[in-house]
Amino acid sequence: MNRARARRAAGDAPCARVEKISMTKIKRIEVKSAAGEYEVLCGAGALARLSREITSVGKFSSFHVVTSRRVWTAVGREVLRGLGGANAAHIHIFSDAEAEKNLRSVESITRSLVKAGADRRAIVIAVGGGVVGDVAGFAAASYLRGVALVQVPTTLVAQTDSAIGGKTGVNLPEGKNLVGAFYPARLVVVDTGALATLPEREFRGGLAEVVKYGVIADAKLFAFLEKNFEKLLARDARTLEYVITRSVEIKAAVVGKDERESGLREILNFGHTFGHALESATAYKRYQHGEAVAWGMMAAALYGHEIRVTPAADASRIISLLRRIGKLPAWAKVPAKRLIGLMGSDKKTREGKLRFVLTPGIGKAATYEAKGLQKLELILRVTASVAEGKPVLHG
């Protein structure tokens, strides 16, 4: 019985609770899943509890950490300490470059698991960013038709988004995340302290996902970001913990209502249809995911305004806030028709018709069918020039 079920059996309502651990507050956020509820443990110092928390969700024959060399160099010692010592787990290394998010990496990981003797009672612990979580998660879903999974996200994108909700998968040359599975983790451990070693570019790009949550679901969070963005850029601990925890709460609420993306969960893709097309057009080598999403959200704000969904003032606020992330890799010099063609492989496309998540006002989002390819082509041509201006501060 996991902790969520245990608390319900004791008569407690399923809600987030705060626990004091080593002078820091660790928050537990429950996520509903068809496979059973699981928890996101969120706060500085959470890694110190890793072994204890894994033991609380099941009994496992062996621990298998899947990670990249650069992530393991940064946090490996702390992870092993949390797991109980240097020999507590088998370590499986692969490249976490976006271009390596493919079926070859899944094969490499699963063959490594075979060589390490992983059986059906083994547990895979994904330690790293979005690529590690997606690829290791898909490997766990596939290996022996499914072994237990724990997500330990170490980037801002992964901590606020990709590690939560059960989406796993890899890219194909034809598009992003076209092969995968819904496979929720038994546990997600978000240690905000791990962001201290995150390279500046990855950190800034990851802020795009935080901005996304404000746009689609929480106007107060968006206003908080406008007023406190410089603190975030400076990695102020309290500010980071607040926005990460709030982002996790929003995602947990959304996926709890729509785990398999049949409706509501699509709003989490705000900006992603544009962003994924940019990533695919550049062979996943120019942009980090958050950077592509930042471009995509600016394009979505402009397109929403062009088709009279998004008010001008809200489009301006979205673009102004995203500009404060800093200079992004340049918009790809790809013909608009080529990008539109790549968007055709987006999972939201229905009967050949493009659909986009847009905002009718900050704090709200919905999916809209594309209206006129000429307007879409226009936005794809002008987004880069609009983003060249200086940021306008609000709030």
Side-chain angles (χ1 to χ4, degrees):
M1 180 182 293
N2 65 24
R3 288 181 179 270
R5 290 198 188 103
R7 287 205 299 277
R8 286 200 306 280
D12 292 340
C15 60
R17 68 186 177 87
V18 175
E19 181 176 351
K20 190 172 183 181
I21 303 170
S22 301
M23 302 302 290
T24 187
K25 291 181 179 178
I26 304 293
K27 197 167 189 177
R28 295 183 183 275
I29 302 164
E30 290 180 12
V31 185
K32 293 180 180 178
S33 164
E37 293 181 359
Y38 60 95
E39 290 185 331
V40 180
L41 199 68
C42 190
L47 276 177
R49 296 185 57 89
L50 195 52
S51 177
R52 193 183 322 178
E53 295 296 331
I54 292 175
T55 301
S56 75
V57 299
K59 199 170 184 178
F60 305 103
S61 58
S62 55
F63 290 0
H64 296 265
V65 172
V66 177
T67 187
S68 73
R69 193 166 304 283
R70 67 191 185 102
V71 170
W72 198 242
T73 298
V75 302
R77 184 176 299 179
E78 191 173 0
V79 170
L80 285 176
R81 189 181 302 122
L83 287 173
N87 299 315
H90 300 271
I91 313 301
H92 307 266
I93 302 289
F94 81 107
S95 171
D96 61 356
E98 186 71 32
E100 300 302 318
K101 187 181 172 183
N102 52 43
L103 289 167
R104 292 189 302 276
S105 292
V106 175
E107 180 183 2
S108 174
I109 291 166
T110 51
R111 293 183 69 183
S112 184
L113 290 171
V114 172
K115 292 174 184 176
D119 60 24
R120 285 184 170 177
R121 292 177 58 209
I123 189 165
V124 168
I125 305 166
V127 179
V131 172
V132 171
D134 282 2
V135 177
F138 188 37
S142 306
Y143 184 69
L144 300 177
R145 297 187 175 88
V147 295
L149 171 69
V150 168
Q151 291 277 8
V152 182
T154 60
T155 68
L156 193 53
V157 168
Q159 289 190 352
T160 58
D161 190 72
S162 61
I164 303 145
K167 276 189 179 181
T168 69
V170 297
N171 306 328
L172 296 178
E174 292 77 12
K176 191 175 172 72
N177 296 327
L178 294 184
V179 179
F182 287 97
Y183 197 70
R186 299 282 187 91
L187 172 73
V188 181
V189 178
V190 174
D191 191 330
T192 55
L195 298 178
T197 60
L198 191 65
E200 185 70 9
R201 180 183 175 188
E202 284 190 58
F203 179 79
R204 284 178 175 265
L207 289 171
E209 292 285 0
V210 178
V211 172
K212 178 194 76 176
Y213 286 112
V215 173
I216 67 171
D218 190 343
K220 289 183 179 179
L221 173 61
F222 192 91
F224 178 88
L225 293 172
E226 288 179 317
K227 293 179 180 179
N228 295 278
F229 211 74
E230 300 310 314
K231 289 183 179 179
L232 278 180
L233 291 174
R235 308 194 196 194
D236 176 73
R238 293 184 65 181
T239 307
L240 263 178
E241 286 199 31
Y242 170 72
V243 300
I244 291 171
T245 301
R246 184 66 191 120
S247 297
V248 172
E249 289 171 341
I250 292 170
K251 180 148 193 185
V254 171
V255 301
K257 295 175 182 176
D258 179 20
E259 183 179 13
R260 300 210 166 230
E261 203 170 26
S262 58
L264 175 65
R265 186 169 178 167
E266 287 186 340
I267 69 172
L268 296 171
N269 289 316
F270 178 72
H272 286 56
T273 303
F274 292 96
H276 287 173
L278 288 172
E279 288 181 278
S280 182
T282 54
Y284 308 104
K285 293 179 179 178
R286 174 176 293 190
Y287 307 100
Q288 294 184 353
H289 178 64
E291 295 168 341
V293 169
W295 272 123
M297 287 194 290
M298 286 190 277
L302 289 171
Y303 183 59
H305 175 59
E306 182 67 19
I307 65 171
R308 300 185 179 183
V309 170
T310 306
D314 289 329
S316 175
R317 289 177 68 192
I318 292 166
I319 293 169
S320 294
L321 184 56
L322 288 166
R323 284 173 178 164
R324 293 167 69 182
I325 288 174
K327 187 174 178 59
L328 301 171
W331 181 275
K333 293 181 179 179
V334 178
K337 290 186 186 298
R338 165 70 173 149
L339 291 174
I340 292 172
L342 290 168
M343 291 176 190
S345 65
D346 185 85
K347 296 183 291 297
K348 294 185 295 302
T349 298
R350 298 287 185 272
E351 298 177 352
K353 295 180 179 179
L354 294 177
R355 298 163 72 244
F356 296 90
V357 177
L358 304 172
T359 176
I362 290 172
K364 302 175 184 177
T367 305
Y368 297 81
E369 191 173 295
K371 294 182 180 180
L373 292 184
Q374 287 184 335
K375 291 184 176 181
L376 181 56
E377 287 183 22
L378 170 66
I379 295 308
L380 291 171
R381 289 196 298 267
V382 305
T383 297
S385 60
V386 170
E388 289 175 356
K390 294 181 179 179
V392 177
L393 303 184
H394 293 266

